[in-house]
Amino acid sequence: TLEEGAIVGRGPAGHLFSPRGDYSNYEQRAKVRINERGNSGSYFRAKPGPGWPDGYEAQINASHDDPQRTGGLYGLVPVKLAPVREDQWFELRVRCIDEKAGTHVTIWVNDVITADYLDAERRHASGHVALQQHIDATEVLFKAVQARELK
């Protein structure tokens, strides 16, 4: 839903995909807040499909049972200690660019780098941005969501 200028995710698992599905070299920013025991993520270069999207995911999780915390690149660069607490607004920034050696992904939380990864396999060439609602117990809010292409 849209409430007071924020995109709000509640209820069963789901994903809100950008209309465009050709993002490759780009940067995204959003102000984010997640509740206690909530679990979410911001996917990029993602392809819709059954279950979870196929793409990179910037994890959003301050206190859920999943040990991968806010600011990690899910499955590739885990963050074990959340840099922000639940119910606290923070800025999530992601940059994804192709370089000679591979796809370079950098994630910042409140202007601090939390993940910096070079994917030599180039797992995901392009795709959508997708905001995740992971489980029923989650309430996640996104506002000031921006995406810009990089050259």
Short mmCIF file of all heavy atoms in Angstrom, two decimals, residues 43-49 52-56 123-124 126:
data_model
loop_
_atom_site.label_atom_id
_atom_site.label_comp_id
_atom_site.label_asym_id
_atom_site.label_seq_id
_atom_site.Cartn_x
_atom_site.Cartn_y
_atom_site.Cartn_z
N TYR A 43 15.77 -5.93 -4.08
CA TYR A 43 16.41 -6.68 -5.17
C TYR A 43 16.82 -5.73 -6.28
O TYR A 43 16.20 -4.68 -6.48
CB TYR A 43 15.43 -7.70 -5.75
CG TYR A 43 15.30 -8.96 -4.95
CD1 TYR A 43 14.45 -9.04 -3.86
CD2 TYR A 43 16.02 -10.11 -5.31
CE1 TYR A 43 14.32 -10.21 -3.14
CE2 TYR A 43 15.89 -11.28 -4.60
CZ TYR A 43 15.04 -11.33 -3.52
OH TYR A 43 14.90 -12.50 -2.82
N PHE A 44 17.84 -6.12 -7.02
CA PHE A 44 18.25 -5.37 -8.20
C PHE A 44 18.78 -6.34 -9.23
O PHE A 44 19.23 -7.43 -8.90
CB PHE A 44 19.24 -4.26 -7.84
CG PHE A 44 20.40 -4.68 -6.98
CD1 PHE A 44 21.66 -4.89 -7.53
CD2 PHE A 44 20.23 -4.86 -5.61
CE1 PHE A 44 22.72 -5.27 -6.73
CE2 PHE A 44 21.30 -5.24 -4.80
CZ PHE A 44 22.55 -5.45 -5.36
N ARG A 45 18.67 -5.90 -10.50
CA ARG A 45 18.95 -6.79 -11.63
C ARG A 45 18.15 -8.09 -11.45
O ARG A 45 18.65 -9.19 -11.67
CB ARG A 45 20.43 -7.08 -11.79
CG ARG A 45 21.26 -5.89 -12.25
CD ARG A 45 22.67 -6.32 -12.60
NE ARG A 45 23.46 -5.22 -13.11
CZ ARG A 45 24.68 -5.37 -13.62
NH1 ARG A 45 25.23 -6.56 -13.69
NH2 ARG A 45 25.35 -4.32 -14.05
N ALA A 46 16.90 -7.95 -11.06
CA ALA A 46 16.06 -9.09 -10.69
C ALA A 46 15.08 -9.46 -11.80
O ALA A 46 14.56 -8.60 -12.50
CB ALA A 46 15.30 -8.77 -9.41
N LYS A 47 14.84 -10.75 -11.89
CA LYS A 47 13.87 -11.29 -12.84
C LYS A 47 12.72 -11.91 -12.04
O LYS A 47 12.95 -12.71 -11.13
CB LYS A 47 14.49 -12.38 -13.71
CG LYS A 47 15.75 -11.95 -14.44
CD LYS A 47 15.42 -11.21 -15.71
CE LYS A 47 16.66 -10.99 -16.53
NZ LYS A 47 16.98 -9.62 -16.79
N PRO A 48 11.47 -11.55 -12.38
CA PRO A 48 10.33 -12.18 -11.71
C PRO A 48 10.25 -13.66 -12.05
O PRO A 48 10.73 -14.09 -13.10
CB PRO A 48 9.12 -11.44 -12.28
CG PRO A 48 9.65 -10.27 -13.02
CD PRO A 48 11.07 -10.57 -13.36
N GLY A 49 9.66 -14.41 -11.17
CA GLY A 49 9.47 -15.83 -11.41
C GLY A 49 8.77 -16.43 -10.22
O GLY A 49 8.40 -15.72 -9.28
N TRP A 52 11.17 -16.68 -5.00
CA TRP A 52 12.01 -15.48 -4.87
C TRP A 52 12.55 -15.07 -6.23
O TRP A 52 12.86 -15.92 -7.06
CB TRP A 52 13.15 -15.74 -3.89
CG TRP A 52 12.68 -16.29 -2.59
CD1 TRP A 52 12.95 -17.52 -2.07
CD2 TRP A 52 11.81 -15.65 -1.65
NE1 TRP A 52 12.31 -17.67 -0.87
CE2 TRP A 52 11.60 -16.55 -0.58
CE3 TRP A 52 11.19 -14.41 -1.61
CZ2 TRP A 52 10.81 -16.24 0.52
CZ3 TRP A 52 10.39 -14.10 -0.50
CH2 TRP A 52 10.21 -15.01 0.53
N PRO A 53 12.68 -13.76 -6.46
CA PRO A 53 13.25 -13.31 -7.74
C PRO A 53 14.68 -13.81 -7.92
O PRO A 53 15.40 -14.06 -6.94
CB PRO A 53 13.24 -11.78 -7.61
CG PRO A 53 12.25 -11.48 -6.54
CD PRO A 53 12.29 -12.65 -5.60
N ASP A 54 15.08 -13.94 -9.15
CA ASP A 54 16.45 -14.28 -9.49
C ASP A 54 17.19 -12.96 -9.69
O ASP A 54 16.95 -12.26 -10.68
CB ASP A 54 16.47 -15.12 -10.77
CG ASP A 54 17.87 -15.57 -11.14
OD1 ASP A 54 18.72 -15.71 -10.23
OD2 ASP A 54 18.12 -15.78 -12.34
N GLY A 55 18.05 -12.59 -8.73
CA GLY A 55 18.78 -11.33 -8.81
C GLY A 55 19.58 -11.12 -7.55
O GLY A 55 19.61 -11.96 -6.65
N TYR A 56 20.25 -9.99 -7.48
CA TYR A 56 20.98 -9.60 -6.26
C TYR A 56 19.97 -9.03 -5.26
O TYR A 56 18.96 -8.44 -5.65
CB TYR A 56 22.02 -8.53 -6.57
CG TYR A 56 23.10 -8.94 -7.53
CD1 TYR A 56 23.16 -8.38 -8.81
CD2 TYR A 56 24.09 -9.84 -7.16
CE1 TYR A 56 24.17 -8.72 -9.70
CE2 TYR A 56 25.11 -10.19 -8.04
CZ TYR A 56 25.14 -9.63 -9.30
OH TYR A 56 26.15 -9.97 -10.17
N ARG A 123 26.63 -12.89 -12.38
CA ARG A 123 25.42 -13.71 -12.22
C ARG A 123 24.16 -13.08 -12.82
O ARG A 123 23.29 -13.78 -13.31
CB ARG A 123 25.17 -13.98 -10.73
CG ARG A 123 26.14 -14.94 -10.12
CD ARG A 123 25.90 -15.01 -8.60
NE ARG A 123 26.80 -15.94 -7.95
CZ ARG A 123 28.04 -15.65 -7.57
NH1 ARG A 123 28.53 -14.45 -7.78
NH2 ARG A 123 28.79 -16.55 -6.99
N HIS A 124 24.03 -11.76 -12.70
CA HIS A 124 22.79 -11.10 -13.13
C HIS A 124 23.15 -9.89 -14.00
O HIS A 124 23.70 -8.92 -13.51
CB HIS A 124 21.97 -10.67 -11.92
CG HIS A 124 21.78 -11.77 -10.93
ND1 HIS A 124 20.96 -12.84 -11.16
CD2 HIS A 124 22.36 -12.00 -9.72
CE1 HIS A 124 21.02 -13.67 -10.13
NE2 HIS A 124 21.87 -13.18 -9.24
N SER A 126 21.11 -7.83 -16.04
CA SER A 126 20.19 -6.69 -15.97
C SER A 126 18.86 -7.20 -15.42
O SER A 126 18.64 -8.40 -15.33
CB SER A 126 19.99 -6.05 -17.35
OG SER A 126 19.31 -6.93 -18.21
#
